[in-house]
Amino acid sequence: MFGRKRAIQELREIQQQTAQWLQAHPESPFPEAPASASIPMPADPVSAPAAEVDDFLPPDLRVPSRDEIAGMMMRYDKPLIIDGEVRSCPQCGAYRDWILLSVREEVWLRCRAGHETLEPQLDAAWYNRNSGPMNGWHPTLEDGLNHLGH
């Protein structure tokens, strides 16, 4: 995280040096740089809009777009504390061993007994901050729950 700006600056310097070298050596055996390489980088690439790029991967290697994903889920074994209050299942009273489901900007809690309840104080941003990387794709909710041990 802290080396990101340094890495971006180093990349800019390398791109500038390469462009200068290519201009000084027109007889270079390298093919001409693509048109996108000649576009100047913005002052702050983190806030700049991403350029549209053709997807060159075959369909079986592509990561589905956000529209193709129905939802995401993760285990949350410890008690869930929101605003200093421990959340418990309204039906059975369970307060730990949750499956958190993020669906359409909402977070749902699922206890071990299978009761599901919407948690209005949590949103997709909270889910993304607290979840790890995705480690599998499952065609159905049941397959995902089996994978997570529920």
Side-chain angles (χ1 to χ4, degrees), residues 10-99:
E10 289 173 0
L11 176 63
R12 258 193 224 136
E13 290 171 2
I14 291 170
Q15 287 174 336
Q16 289 172 352
Q17 291 170 358
T18 303
Q20 290 171 355
W21 187 86
L22 287 172
Q23 287 176 352
H25 299 87
E27 71 284 350
S28 168
F30 300 113
E32 285 205 27
S36 62
S38 63
I39 298 172
M41 289 188 68
D44 185 13
V46 175
S47 65
E52 182 126 357
V53 178
D54 289 338
D55 198 355
F56 62 93
L57 291 173
D60 57 332
L61 293 178
R62 292 181 190 163
V63 174
S65 69
R66 186 175 179 97
D67 298 332
E68 295 173 354
I69 299 174
M72 295 179 286
M73 64 176 72
M74 72 172 178
R75 285 186 69 108
Y76 199 87
D77 294 327
K78 55 190 175 187
L80 182 62
I81 301 172
I82 303 170
D83 293 335
E85 221 177 277
V86 176
R87 289 292 185 254
S88 62
C89 177
Q91 284 90 10
C92 66
Y95 64 94
R96 61 175 53 210
D97 197 19
W98 297 104
I99 295 291

Side-chain angles (χ1 to χ4, degrees), residues 63-66 68-75 99-110 123-129 131-138 140-141 144-145 148:
V63 174
S65 69
R66 186 175 179 97
E68 295 173 354
I69 299 174
M72 295 179 286
M73 64 176 72
M74 72 172 178
R75 285 186 69 108
I99 295 291
L100 301 181
L101 305 158
S102 177
V103 181
R104 292 184 300 277
E105 302 297 320
E106 299 174 336
V107 175
W108 290 77
L109 308 177
R110 181 182 170 101
D123 59 1
W126 180 93
Y127 181 91
N128 291 335
R129 284 191 308 270
S131 67
M134 294 178 66
N135 63 0
W137 300 96
H138 306 285
T140 64
L141 175 64
L145 293 172
L148 294 175

Side-chain angles (χ1 to χ4, degrees), residues 8 34 49 92 111 117 137:
I8 291 170
C92 66
C111 70
T117 183
W137 300 96

